[in-house]
Amino acid sequence: MSQPSSKPGLTPQFCFNETALRDFLRLSRVAIDDSIIQNLNALMTPARAGFDPSSTAERHTQTSRTRPIDAEACQGFKDNVLFQSWQTRSDVLAYCAGVAVNPEDPDLIAREAESAKDRERVVDERLDPYSGRFFPREARTESLANLIRNERGVEGIIRARTWGLVTERCGDGSGWQEALDIWRATRAANMSQQQLQLGAKERSLFAQIVKHYESKQYKKGLKCAEQVLRKSPKHGDTQAMKALIINAQGNTDEAFVLCKEALKNAMKSHVCWHVYGLLWRCVKNYEEAIKAYKFALKLEPDSQQILRDLALLQIQMRDYQGYIQSRRTILQSKTPNGQRNSNYRLNWTALAVAQHLAGELYDAERTLTTFEETLRSTPPKSDNEHSEALLYKNTIIAETGETERALEHLEAFYKSNLDRTAAMEMRAHYLLQLDRMEEAEKAYRALLDRNAEYRAYYDGLRKAMKIEDSDTQSLKTLYEEYAKKNPRGDTAKRVPLEFLQGDGFREAADHYLQQMLHKGVPSTFANIKALYSDPTKRKTVQSLAESYLSETYPPLANGSAEKQLNGDEKSETKQPSFDVSVLYFLAQHYNYHLSRDLARSMELIDRAIEVQPKEVNYHLTKARIWKHLGNTQKASETMEKARSLDERDRYINTKAAKYQLRNDENEAAITNMGKFTRKEAVGGPLGDLIDMQCMWYVTEDGEAYLRQGNFGLALKRFATVYDIFETWQEDQFDFHTFSIRKGQVRAYVDMLKWEDHLREHPYFSRAAISAIRIYLRLFDGPKTNGVNGEHKDVGANERKKAQKKARKAQEKQEQVEAEKKDAKKTAGTSTGADGEVKKEDTDPQGDKLAQTTEPLVDAMKVLTPLLEYSPKNIEAQHVGFEVFVRRSESSTEETIHPVQQKYDLRKPTGKYLLALRCLLAARSIDSSHPLNHEQAIRLRHTLKSIAEPLPPQVSEALEGELSSLIAPDADLSKLNSDFLASNSDRASNVRAFLRTRQVLDSKSTDENQKDVIRTLALPSVSLEDAVSGLELLNDWHAESRYQEDYMAAAHERWPEATAFMSSKD
């Protein structure tokens, strides 16, 4: 039998000597592969079993070639000879392939000179058969690369033939590549097995590493790891634990490098694969983490910790089937102490939750029932976990649609369940569904006796009593009954105002308003403003309140309530008088958008303030009036005055900060917020607000910086909001085990369902849309003045002055930041008073975010979850359209008008199909939105103007949908004019028409700017419309005279609006 091929000395000279390389490969193949039959025959030892005389009684036609060989001998030949030779040849080919890509070539200079000279020759083999001698020579590296490529192909053919003969004699059914990979993995594991063996001292040190990591004593853990690695430098488990500690210290990249090295040294170690999964989890790559956990489980199937970590990731990723399998495996396994996991309720509950979330309701019910049957004794009534499990099981039964069975199950523990309110609510609901109205009525009345302020109980009682919505007399009688039972309650008195009409409504509203205003309840208007959607009721409330103010109202039917203030006559002097309450109510009434008369509102609130100048709510309302007048400066000052009247009130403090942010007073706002933040917080007041996830402040702060044109800080704030939602997503990990362990199963399931719609939250949409608009502006106009990101239509000298001023401001800011860093260094350890380590922010001003070279790529990171979780948000669809039509792989070289630059998308690589999808989604949400018209015409105009035709499939798909909106041969200018003709009453429609005309005809710039000014004369134009018109002129870089004319016209109509005030004002 042949011996395995020995590896030659690998040098570049050996590889470039193609004769030597070919000879080595040929001799190795001759010795092993070409003589494979002889090698296999040599493995046969017929005398091993002894001579059998009966074997000569008949003739055997089977040749030795097909005679099977002993399995042990076959395996030894494959492991020690065949695979060893194949691996040697693979190593040689891999090494020479690396040499082939080496750029160092001694003949490179001579060959380039020869090529330059030969390029001047005219080569025509028909005229000169010997012209081929002038072709340039092939590089050595190219020749070697071709040789390696050919030899690898030959190697694959030879191995396939050899393996076919081997499997014929040895019976292995796998492919040669798979068998070779298994041999390689086994060899690597055997080579690292020696490193896995530690002495007693090292084993003790390794145990201390784990202990120090769990107790977060990272320095001690690293010290122990270094001691072990000095004795066994390639001990994979120790390297993995060291990587885990390094990652905990914040050095993730270094941890990954070390963990991969550990895997090379201990490929068969479940500890290494487990740590590898933990590292992937830390960087939130859950797919890779799950793969690593599953590989670790193959090596250590009984590891409880790995099973739990895998289950956590599966429920986090909503892999319900995988979660069911993992929870079932945990349930069937044993703890390290030898006890069965099936003895613990939480393992059964977790499996039931997994089945419930996967929609396997009957399996979930069966799981909970099985555990109940294993209980040797009935749990005591005080067992909260058992009580919660029964209610959870009942909800599962109800979800199956078997309401009758759910009610029977509930009745079995109804009286003994600890969550009495939940049990009563479920029972009343079941009775109502089963049409058992008398019992349902009693159930809901019992609930109302417990809580007469819960609106849903009244609705349930009304349905149980079969009272129709049109039967207002019965409804009135019902609510009057509970108003008498609960005279200090509000719901039974407030709800009838929704269904009463005419004189009945006037009488009830009169009684309700007088009672609330006599008591001086500040929230009276907030309670009834929902009625203002009905114009008749709105006018009735207004007439009643005005009559109170003119002293023409009759007294209360049951006597005056002035001396019945919360049952305490002594508090009469502390409550506002009736007249002042009416003034406050009417001021809010005329400030409301459905009944707005800001002049009247300001007059009334001033009268109220004259009577009680220190009442905080009155100043707060006055600040809101200034806000609606558009005067953010006076609104901020008035709200600040209200704050000064009660400096201990956190609510009014936050309102003052919000109004300051609306007035772009960021520093004053953070100063106010700092009055209620922790003094020792890392990062100051802003750091504490971020730690407390105060999203309203971070969002308002970002929008203020956006208005100022500071894109860096604006993006920084919006990124913080994005990170807060990421944190909420990550916080689920804390509840996957905690909620199950504490038995709060129903709340846990509700939390999971809420998390599935987390990014539908308005704050996420608001921050995401603002961030995307910034990225669009960065993409459309990357050249800014350096100060605030705004484009300036100024001369060359003024532009140079602005740039010089920007550089000075930037240098000053950098100097301030450098001084802060120096101060921190001299202060010593960067920790707060609570011992919290301060994390240095490498980009506090957001400069890196604003200086992105790929704004559309960054926009897509925010747009993708926005469109996924908020598909019904029309603003999200509109900004999605803007991003997709701009996404192209290369930018145009053509110089175009600045106004048209953002809309010039004449590259076939744009994501037009995705843009069309956003357009169609926006039309399905609100077909009358003016942006739909504008974007549809822009898309059609873009498709007509592209320099290169679209691929046939893309073009066909686009035309199939877009043709239903705009025909391919349609006159776009006429369509735009027709749109204006039928929608000229609203300023937003006119602006959409003007933006579209600007795209279609760049020569209409002057006329468009004049038409923007004319929109201020429309009767329906609002302050918001006027501000949008000014922003449009700024986007167009309109001439200063047009902007001044617009400002003057707008200031005349809204004299108090800050946006239209000049520097003189």
Side-chain angles (χ1 to χ4, degrees):
M1 183 175 67
S2 301
Q3 297 299 318
S5 303
S6 57
K7 182 181 296 186
L10 296 179
T11 62
Q13 291 76 10
F14 170 79
C15 295
F16 283 121
N17 188 348
E18 296 183 2
T19 302
L21 177 59
R22 285 195 179 98
D23 287 344
F24 163 73
L25 296 173
R26 178 177 56 80
L27 292 175
S28 176
R29 291 164 181 165
V30 167
I32 303 299
D33 298 88
D34 293 349
S35 57
I36 186 63
I37 296 177
Q38 291 85 339
N39 289 325
L40 292 175
N41 289 338
L43 299 176
M44 299 180 62
T45 53
R48 177 181 297 178
F51 176 68
D52 183 9
S54 62
S55 63
T56 59
E58 58 183 36
R59 183 179 180 182
H60 296 277
T61 59
Q62 186 180 20
T63 63
S64 61
R65 176 177 176 179
T66 58
R67 190 180 306 166
I69 305 174
D70 181 67
E72 184 178 352
C74 272
Q75 191 63 43
F77 169 73
K78 290 187 289 185
D79 291 344
N80 301 323
V81 180
L82 181 62
F83 291 152
Q84 185 69 42
S85 300
W86 285 1
Q87 184 62 39
T88 301
R89 298 205 295 265
S90 295
D91 293 342
V92 171
L93 291 174
Y95 175 80
C96 291
V99 172
V101 298
N102 189 352
E104 297 180 1
D105 188 351
D107 300 331
L108 179 62
I109 299 177
R111 190 171 59 256
E112 288 182 349
E114 180 187 75
S115 299
K117 182 174 62 177
D118 289 341
R119 277 196 297 269
E120 300 175 359
R121 300 176 182 271
V122 178
V123 178
D124 191 341
E125 293 184 352
R126 295 181 301 169
L127 301 178
D128 183 2
Y130 298 101
S131 59
R133 68 179 182 273
F134 298 117
F135 288 166
R137 293 181 298 171
E138 186 179 29
R140 290 198 308 166
T141 53
E142 296 176 2
S143 176
L144 179 59
N146 291 332
L147 174 62
I148 297 299
R149 191 181 306 111
N150 294 334
E151 290 297 337
R152 280 177 169 171
V154 172
E155 190 71 17
I157 296 172
I158 291 176
R159 291 182 183 182
R161 172 188 173 277
T162 301
W163 190 251
L165 296 173
V166 171
T167 55
E168 182 181 351
R169 302 290 296 278
C170 297
D172 192 340
S174 60
W176 70 266
Q177 184 65 58
E178 181 183 355
L180 182 59
D181 289 341
I182 294 174
W183 175 81
R184 286 169 175 167
T186 304
R187 185 183 67 163
N190 292 336
M191 291 176 63
S192 62
Q193 190 64 31
Q194 296 178 356
Q195 300 296 334
L196 295 176
Q197 303 299 327
L198 295 177
K201 180 180 178 181
E202 285 72 23
R203 287 198 299 271
S204 176
L205 287 172
F206 183 81
Q208 292 182 30
I209 296 173
V210 178
K211 182 179 179 180
H212 290 321
Y213 171 74
E214 292 175 348
S215 60
K216 298 184 179 181
Q217 298 178 356
Y218 300 134
K219 291 183 179 180
K220 293 183 179 180
L222 283 178
K223 184 177 180 180
C224 294
E226 293 296 340
Q227 294 180 28
V228 175
L229 292 176
R230 277 199 296 268
K231 185 69 176 292
S232 301
K234 293 187 177 181
H235 187 253
D237 290 359
T238 303
Q239 289 176 319
M241 287 304 303
K242 181 180 178 181
L244 202 57
I245 294 174
I246 292 174
N247 177 71
Q249 292 179 326
N251 301 320
T252 304
D253 295 337
E254 183 181 350
F256 266 102
V257 173
L258 184 57
C259 188
K260 290 177 181 179
E261 184 67 25
L263 284 172
K264 291 180 182 179
N265 295 328
M267 184 66 69
K268 293 293 183 178
S269 170
H270 71 279
V271 174
C272 296
W273 282 104
H274 188 195
V275 170
Y276 194 51
L278 292 174
L279 294 180
W280 279 119
R281 172 182 161 177
C282 287
V283 297
K284 301 177 184 178
N285 191 333
Y286 300 139
E287 292 82 0
E288 291 297 327
I290 289 175
K291 291 178 184 178
Y293 287 157
K294 288 182 177 179
F295 200 93
L297 281 176
K298 290 181 181 179
L299 302 173
E300 188 69 19
D302 298 329
S303 175
Q304 295 292 300
Q305 187 59 49
I306 300 175
L307 276 171
R308 283 194 294 269
D309 288 344
L310 175 60
L312 287 178
L313 280 185
Q314 287 169 333
I315 186 59
Q316 183 77 6
M317 297 295 293
R318 302 302 189 263
D319 178 13
Y320 295 131
Q321 295 301 325
Y323 187 51
I324 290 173
Q325 182 179 356
S326 297
R327 296 310 313 190
R328 183 174 284 115
T329 303
I330 293 175
L331 182 64
Q332 295 172 351
S333 61
K334 294 183 178 180
T335 65
N337 297 331
Q339 298 182 1
R340 297 184 61 85
N341 281 322
S342 58
N343 295 335
Y344 299 96
R345 179 192 290 272
L346 67 91
N347 293 316
W348 291 90
T349 304
L351 177 58
V353 169
Q355 294 167 333
H356 178 204
L357 295 174
E360 301 174 4
L361 301 179
Y362 290 103
D363 290 342
E365 179 191 354
R366 191 179 304 111
T367 298
L368 294 173
T369 303
T370 302
F371 174 74
E372 293 172 4
E373 294 173 350
T374 62
L375 297 176
R376 297 180 180 179
S377 59
T378 304
K381 295 181 179 181
S382 60
D383 190 340
N384 184 68
E385 187 177 2
H386 179 68
S387 175
E388 179 68 20
L390 291 175
L391 285 176
Y392 176 60
K393 179 181 176 181
N394 189 260
T395 60
I396 294 175
I397 298 173
E399 287 184 23
T400 63
E402 301 181 28
T403 309
E404 184 69 39
R405 190 162 66 90
L407 179 60
E408 293 176 0
H409 177 262
L410 181 63
E411 294 286 4
F413 62 87
Y414 173 72
K415 295 182 179 180
S416 61
N417 195 269
L418 297 178
D419 194 345
R420 184 67 175 166
T421 301
M424 294 176 68
E425 289 176 348
M426 294 166 70
R427 182 174 179 272
H429 181 65
Y430 295 156
L431 290 171
L432 191 62
Q433 283 188 319
L434 294 172
D435 205 24
R436 293 161 62 171
M437 297 306 180
E438 292 184 3
E439 296 176 77
E441 179 182 349
K442 294 179 181 179
Y444 278 111
R445 287 188 180 277
L447 285 168
L448 283 170
D449 291 340
R450 293 172 65 91
N451 182 8
E453 295 298 302
Y454 191 29
R455 175 73 175 269
Y457 295 164
Y458 289 100
D459 294 338
L461 179 59
R462 177 180 58 80
K463 293 177 182 178
M465 297 176 67
K466 298 183 179 181
I467 301 177
E468 300 294 337
D469 294 339
S470 58
D471 190 356
T472 57
Q473 185 59 42
S474 299
L475 287 173
K476 181 180 178 182
T477 303
L478 173 64
Y479 283 101
E480 285 178 349
E481 174 188 349
Y482 278 94
K484 292 178 181 179
K485 288 184 178 180
N486 186 27
R488 300 180 65 178
D490 181 73
T491 303
K493 302 170 186 175
R494 165 62 182 79
V495 174
L497 299 179
E498 297 181 4
F499 58 80
L500 291 174
Q501 300 290 335
D503 293 338
F505 171 78
R506 185 178 184 87
E507 180 183 354
D510 182 28
H511 185 274
Y512 183 80
L513 287 174
Q514 287 201 48
Q515 184 179 39
M516 300 293 282
L517 294 175
H518 275 99
K519 289 183 178 181
V521 178
S523 61
T524 302
F525 180 77
N527 289 350
I528 70 163
K529 66 181 180 180
L531 303 173
Y532 280 28
S533 57
D534 186 339
T536 303
K537 293 183 177 181
R538 182 171 68 244
K539 292 179 180 178
T540 301
V541 171
Q542 178 175 325
S543 65
L544 286 172
E546 289 285 2
S547 67
Y548 302 156
L549 194 62
S550 60
E551 299 183 356
T552 61
Y553 59 91
L556 282 172
N558 296 328
S560 175
E562 291 184 5
K563 296 184 179 181
Q564 300 177 11
L565 303 174
N566 297 326
D568 185 5
E569 296 183 3
K570 296 180 181 180
S571 62
E572 178 182 356
T573 57
K574 297 181 181 179
Q575 299 293 338
S577 67
F578 179 78
D579 292 339
V580 179
S581 297
V582 174
L583 289 172
Y584 178 51
F585 177 87
L586 279 173
Q588 293 175 290
H589 166 83
Y590 287 115
N591 190 38
Y592 192 56
H593 68 97
L594 292 177
S595 53
R596 183 156 293 170
D597 184 349
L598 296 178
R600 174 67 170 159
S601 180
M602 182 67 75
E603 174 193 350
L604 293 169
I605 201 63
D606 283 339
R607 289 171 58 185
I609 292 175
E610 288 178 4
V611 178
Q612 291 191 351
K614 294 186 177 181
E615 175 57 45
V616 174
N617 290 322
Y618 300 167
H619 291 277
L620 187 149
T621 301
K622 185 174 182 178
R624 287 176 176 153
I625 297 171
W626 282 122
K627 178 185 72 172
H628 294 146
L629 285 169
N631 196 325
T632 56
Q633 178 66 35
K634 289 185 177 180
S636 174
E637 293 173 355
T638 306
M639 194 64 77
E640 176 63 17
K641 182 177 181 180
R643 185 201 64 80
S644 65
L645 295 175
D646 189 355
E647 296 184 351
R648 296 183 179 182
D649 190 329
R650 185 189 294 266
Y651 171 75
I652 192 62
N653 185 80
T654 58
K655 292 295 290 186
K658 177 182 287 188
Y659 275 60
Q660 287 167 335
L661 290 174
R662 298 276 176 87
N663 195 42
D664 299 338
E665 302 175 63
N666 301 77
E667 293 299 328
I670 195 61
T671 301
N672 269 341
M673 295 300 295
K675 300 179 187 301
F676 285 89
T677 58
R678 293 181 300 141
K679 303 301 180 183
E680 70 279 4
V682 177
L686 180 61
D688 189 43
L689 291 171
I690 293 175
D691 289 342
M692 298 301 293
Q693 300 175 343
C694 186
M695 284 195 300
W696 75 263
Y697 181 86
V698 178
T699 305
E700 291 283 354
D701 199 32
E703 292 175 347
Y705 283 121
L706 175 57
R707 286 190 298 271
Q708 299 168 44
N710 192 332
F711 292 164
L713 280 173
L715 286 174
K716 187 76 173 178
R717 299 295 181 263
F718 297 142
T720 300
V721 176
Y722 187 89
D723 293 340
I724 288 174
F725 279 90
E726 286 291 317
T727 302
W728 287 359
Q729 191 77 22
E730 292 299 306
D731 285 345
Q732 292 182 78
F733 278 113
D734 297 332
F735 293 94
H736 292 322
T737 53
F738 173 81
S739 298
I740 299 296
R741 188 175 70 251
K742 293 296 184 180
Q744 304 300 320
V745 189
R746 291 179 298 150
Y748 170 65
V749 173
D750 291 341
M751 184 269 294
L752 292 180
K753 294 179 180 178
W754 175 80
E755 287 277 3
D756 291 339
H757 302 278
L758 175 63
R759 286 177 176 80
E760 295 178 8
H761 197 284
Y763 272 120
F764 180 83
S765 303
R766 185 172 162 186
I769 291 172
S770 297
I772 292 170
R773 285 174 175 161
I774 294 177
Y775 286 125
L776 290 174
R777 291 176 66 176
L778 292 175
F779 177 80
D780 294 337
K783 295 181 180 180
T784 60
N785 64 4
V787 180
N788 55 10
E790 297 178 354
H791 295 269
K792 297 292 183 180
D793 186 16
V794 295
N797 294 331
E798 294 182 4
R799 188 180 300 109
K800 289 181 179 179
K801 291 180 180 178
Q803 292 175 352
K804 184 177 180 180
K805 183 178 179 181
R807 284 195 298 269
K808 288 184 177 180
Q810 185 175 0
E811 291 174 359
K812 184 178 180 180
Q813 182 66 32
E814 291 175 355
Q815 183 179 359
V816 171
E817 294 296 330
E819 291 176 356
K820 289 182 179 180
K821 289 183 179 180
D822 293 340
K824 290 180 180 179
K825 290 180 180 179
T826 57
T829 306
S830 180
T831 56
D834 56 354
E836 182 181 0
V837 179
K838 294 183 179 180
K839 297 181 180 179
E840 182 179 0
D841 189 351
T842 59
D843 187 24
Q845 301 299 316
D847 295 331
K848 295 180 181 178
L849 294 173
Q851 294 170 3
T852 175
T853 58
E854 296 180 331
L856 293 185
V857 175
D858 293 336
M860 283 301 303
K861 297 176 182 178
V862 185
L863 179 63
T864 300
L866 178 64
L867 292 178
E868 180 181 356
Y869 295 104
S870 300
K872 297 299 182 181
N873 188 322
I874 193 169
E875 285 188 86
Q877 299 296 341
H878 285 152
V879 296
F881 175 90
E882 299 294 344
V883 171
F884 288 130
V885 295
R886 286 167 170 79
R887 286 194 64 195
S888 55
E889 297 176 357
S890 59
S891 60
T892 179
E893 298 286 336
E894 183 181 355
T895 302
I896 57 176
H897 192 276
V899 177
Q900 283 188 315
Q901 183 176 6
K902 67 168 68 175
Y903 302 134
D904 188 70
L905 304 163
R906 292 166 286 182
K907 290 293 178 180
T909 51
K911 306 295 183 180
Y912 300 122
L913 282 174
L914 295 175
L916 178 60
R917 186 176 67 178
C918 288
L919 176 59
L920 295 174
R923 289 178 63 88
S924 66
I925 298 170
D926 182 5
S927 59
S928 63
H929 198 287
L931 267 182
N932 296 339
H933 161 77
E934 176 191 345
Q935 292 182 344
I937 290 185
R938 278 175 47 203
L939 182 58
R940 173 58 73 187
H941 176 67
T942 301
L943 294 177
K944 286 183 176 181
S945 307
I946 55 177
E948 302 175 8
L950 292 172
Q953 294 179 345
V954 176
S955 179
E956 181 181 355
L958 277 170
E959 292 300 335
E961 295 290 345
L962 187 57
S963 298
S964 62
L965 305 178
I966 301 177
D969 56 348
D971 186 345
L972 300 183
S973 297
K974 185 178 183 304
L975 284 177
N976 195 35
S977 300
D978 293 343
F979 172 79
L980 178 64
S982 57
N983 299 277
S984 59
D985 57 332
R986 294 178 56 189
S988 58
N989 294 331
V990 177
R991 289 196 303 273
F993 161 78
L994 296 176
R995 284 193 298 264
T996 306
R997 187 170 69 177
Q998 183 66 54
V999 173
L1000 299 177
D1001 182 12
S1002 60
K1003 297 180 181 179
S1004 63
T1005 301
D1006 289 341
E1007 187 63 26
N1008 292 334
Q1009 294 174 1
K1010 294 177 182 177
D1011 287 343
V1012 172
I1013 300 175
R1014 295 188 185 104
T1015 60
L1016 295 175
L1018 293 174
S1020 62
V1021 68
S1022 64
L1023 177 60
E1024 292 75 13
D1025 289 328
V1027 173
S1028 298
L1030 181 60
E1031 292 175 353
L1032 180 59
L1033 290 177
N1034 291 331
D1035 289 342
W1036 283 352
H1037 314 301
E1039 296 180 17
S1040 58
R1041 58 191 179 95
Y1042 290 121
Q1043 295 194 24
E1044 291 173 359
D1045 292 345
Y1046 188 93
M1047 293 273 288
H1051 181 66
E1052 183 179 355
R1053 185 161 183 176
W1054 294 277
E1056 294 293 345
T1058 308
F1060 310 124
M1061 291 183 180
S1062 63
S1063 57
K1064 297 179 181 179
D1065 298 329

